[in-house]
Amino acid sequence: MPSAHRFVNDLTTPALLLDVDAFQHNLSVMATRLPGRQLRPHVKAHKTTALAQEQTKHGHDTFTCATIREIEGMAAAGLGLDLLLANEVVDARRLGAVVAAGIGRVTLAIDSDETLDAAVAGGVREVVIDVNIGLPRCGCDPADAGRLADRARKAGLSVRGVMGYEGHLMMVVDPTEQREKVEASMALLLRAHNDVGGELVSAGGTGTHIVNTWATEIQAGSYALMDTQYAEHNEFAFRQALSILGSVISVSRDTGSKGWAVADVGLKAQGMDHGLPTIADASVWFCSDEHVTFAPAEPVHFGDRVRVVPAHCDPTVAYHDRMWLVQGDEVVDSWPVDLKGW
Amino acid sequence: MPSAHRFVNDLTTPALLLDVDAFQHNLSVMATRLPGRQLRPHVKAHKTTALAQEQTKHGHDTFTCATIREIEGMAAAGLGLDLLLANEVVDARRLGAVVAAGIGRVTLAIDSDETLDAAVAGGVREVVIDVNIGLPRCGCDPADAGRLADRARKAGLSVRGVMGYEGHLMMVVDPTEQREKVEASMALLLRAHNDVGGELVSAGGTGTHIVNTWATEIQAGSYALMDTQYAEHNEFAFRQALSILGSVISVSRDTGSKGWAVADVGLKAQGMDHGLPTIADASVWFCSDEHVTFAPAEPVHFGDRVRVVPAHCDPTVAYHDRMWLVQGDEVVDSWPVDLKGW
């Protein structure tokens, strides 16, 4: 019961926290930088329709999704004005059902004859051609994009444009080097767009949202929450809004330079693909299923609360059923993480 | 609806699969090696009461848990005969409620005066003294165990013995080296047990279940499912029972030595703390939120199903709501993963 909690320290741990001030700061910064439909926020980062609703208040009413479940949930929540599934699917019937129900406009990425056929068979009416621009993942060869678009139109589909994802360039920290590499990737996408047509050149992410000036819309998601990896990009001016509240459950006898403490934030409360989380004024040693062992700079005590900042927000959020909105030590609201699963 | 699925290829992907033959093999091998109460299966590995029910059929009726939620769920499922929470907690009231309701016997690990006080305040009646035997995590100094036990008994608690976890030795592959190191760790636990008394010397895990001949019971969990990391221990003779079914959604033009394919099994379908998953006859390149990119030895095609074996089963299971029991290509049953959360 959200209303039963007034203070952070009353929460059962581990608990996913959203720092409201940092979150609103991030949304404001992004809405100034990429207003309106220059940003198509990616919901995979937060999987939370209430959070997407906040993004609409900042002027973004089109969204990017990674799973069919995210499309269904966004449409059911009344956020289906213009949803892009930026991913390929084998069976598009659940997407066709969203369109047929009149609750969402769904545009599906296709990168092959088979995905084109799946779109038609599933009752999807609008597509973008997904083009490989350097990341070895989905996307057709740029030279094949025009042919696919022609075939899609002949099959009765509306082709809204192209998309690509320069995911291999998100973590290039030097802005000049990153801009050059993004420009080369986007040249491939623009060449494909020349063959395909349509109003959309959809690309990018939080890591390239400033340097990618060629896309008509940026698919950034992490900017709303931020994680420790993107924090290296100081020029973004985003703040860490996401953390996991834990309780200290054990303290070794000497919590100075030779000792450690343990909190109840383990592998099942956070994604680990980008490495260890961080804790302010502490060195994190390792995580176990339900523990994080860390060396605090100053002694901590049994029952103390700690905020653990995950290295990667997306797979962290996907472990939790609810996020708690906090201002300082006060819990002001909570949102269900309602777009989980597939 | 489980009954609607007859074949693996009918499942929506990604889907968590339990190979019934491999699973039953693993349970039989373990029940022969550590019959009855020589094993206290750890439910954190599978978080599934239906799976624990199968473990009782193999003669194990005592269980180890890592979270309060696991204790509550096991008790509610009628599996509360003898539950050990092998972890420290700040607030033990929900455990006391299980005891008061008469649905479960709960024994709680304590490693400090504060955890002792929490046990008493929460209405827990039975404890074990958790002793640090080398892993920098929870557990008191071995020399402090007797004092804690005395204080616990004076506070009205029943002290059932000691526990320790030689987690730092699970991955020592050489049996001789592992045995020597486990013996040294267990010497610390036996010394503490000498001071504490009680019938339980609870320790170990799948990685040390053969060499640890000093514990009265072993807290192994992974043996039922297995993951790629423990598979290095050939002498265990366990089989990989857990995998994640995916669908091939994209194939690069050349799927030979220069090409790749993509399946829909990403970071939100598996724990990544132990590294990349494996796919038979393929080289796994990397995982994204909803993708695994891999180079197959033989060409694969759009829509093909692949089985992805996670490097670490525990945090993988925690991402899924249901596991599907399969024999070959047939789905024979499904179980809810009903012990998730905290």
Side-chain angles (χ1 to χ4, degrees), chain B residues 282-333:
Chain B
S283 168
V284 173
W285 288 4
F286 66 96
C287 293
S288 314
D289 279 331
E290 301 290 353
H291 309 90
V292 55
T293 293
F294 62 103
E298 299 294 329
V300 297
H301 304 94
F302 176 78
D304 284 355
R305 301 302 175 106
V306 294
R307 296 194 188 191
V308 178
V309 180
H312 192 189
C313 53
D314 306 45
T316 295
V317 172
Y319 270 128
H320 295 264
D321 289 330
R322 185 168 288 274
M323 60 176 71
W324 302 90
L325 281 65
V326 300
Q327 284 186 300
D329 290 328
E330 195 175 355
V331 178
V332 296
D333 203 352

Side-chain angles (χ1 to χ4, degrees), chain A:
Chain A
M1 297 287 100
S3 59
H5 293 291
R6 295 289 308 280
F7 297 102
V8 170
N9 284 359
D10 296 329
L11 295 173
T12 297
T13 55
L16 192 66
L17 302 186
L18 182 68
D19 182 311
V20 174
D21 295 337
F23 166 67
Q24 291 292 352
H25 165 85
N26 293 344
L27 263 54
S28 295
V29 166
M30 184 59 103
T32 303
R33 204 173 276 157
L34 294 176
R37 294 187 182 171
Q38 292 182 42
L39 184 78
R40 184 186 283 275
H42 210 316
V43 305
K44 76 180 173 73
H46 55 72
K47 285 185 173 286
T48 301
T49 57
L51 197 157
Q53 194 74 57
E54 289 297 311
Q55 291 173 312
T56 67
K57 293 179 188 168
H58 285 78
H60 313 297
D61 57 3
T62 62
F63 289 95
T64 312
C65 296
T67 66
I68 294 173
R69 170 77 194 106
E70 289 170 7
I71 293 278
E72 290 175 331
M74 288 290 285
L79 295 163
L81 182 73
D82 186 351
L83 302 174
L84 169 62
L85 182 51
N87 203 358
E88 280 64 27
V89 301
V90 172
D91 184 344
R93 285 176 293 180
R94 286 163 57 201
L95 298 173
V98 169
V99 175
I103 57 173
R105 179 181 185 183
V106 177
T107 302
L108 175 61
I110 64 170
D111 71 351
S112 62
D113 290 304
E114 293 83 355
T115 46
L116 194 167
D117 295 342
V120 173
V124 167
R125 298 171 192 164
E126 298 181 277
V127 295
V128 292
I129 308 299
D130 187 4
V131 181
N132 185 296
I133 57 173
L135 177 71
R137 210 171 69 183
C138 301
C140 68
D141 190 296
D144 197 37
R147 183 194 68 79
L148 268 178
D150 291 344
R151 208 190 134 218
R153 290 192 175 100
K154 281 180 192 148
L157 295 170
S158 170
V159 181
R160 297 185 65 192
V162 295
M163 69 155 274
Y165 181 56
E166 68 277 24
H168 55 306
L169 305 178
M170 291 294 140
M171 299 302 169
V172 179
V173 175
D174 180 74
T176 305
E177 179 190 357
Q178 192 188 44
R179 187 177 177 85
E180 288 173 3
K181 289 183 171 176
V182 170
E183 183 171 16
S185 275
M186 289 302 293
L188 298 173
L189 189 58
L190 294 174
R191 169 183 150 192
H193 183 240
N194 192 51
D195 297 340
V196 168
E199 81 273 22
L200 296 183
V201 179
S202 190
T206 297
T208 61
H209 78 282
I210 291 179
V211 299
N212 189 334
T213 52
W214 300 274
T216 61
E217 59 178 32
I218 297 291
Q219 299 178 2
S222 300
Y223 78 95
L225 305 175
M226 290 298 283
D227 44 39
T228 62
Q229 191 158 31
Y230 275 133
E232 290 177 37
H233 281 287
N234 292 323
E235 75 278 17
F236 292 172
F238 295 130
R239 290 164 55 190
Q240 305 276 5
L242 192 78
S243 64
I244 311 151
L245 183 75
S247 300
V248 173
I249 58 171
S250 188
V251 179
S252 72
R253 284 196 299 180
D254 177 0
T255 58
S257 59
K258 291 174 289 186
W260 68 85
V262 181
D264 57 354
V265 178
L267 303 174
K268 292 165 181 168
Q270 60 188 312
M272 294 294 292
D273 59 294
H274 285 189
L276 290 170
T278 57
I279 299 174
D281 303 320
S283 167
V284 173
W285 287 3
F286 65 96
C287 292
S288 314
D289 279 331
E290 301 289 354
H291 309 89
V292 55
T293 293
F294 63 102
E298 298 294 328
V300 297
H301 304 94
F302 177 79
D304 284 354
R305 301 303 175 106
V306 294
R307 297 194 188 190
V308 178
V309 180
H312 192 188
C313 53
D314 306 44
T316 296
V317 172
Y319 270 128
H320 295 264
D321 289 329
R322 186 169 287 275
M323 60 176 72
W324 302 90
L325 281 66
V326 300
Q327 284 187 300
D329 290 328
E330 195 174 354
V331 178
V332 295
D333 202 352
S334 80
W335 291 337
V337 181
D338 53 356
L339 299 176
K340 289 162 61 170
W342 302 276

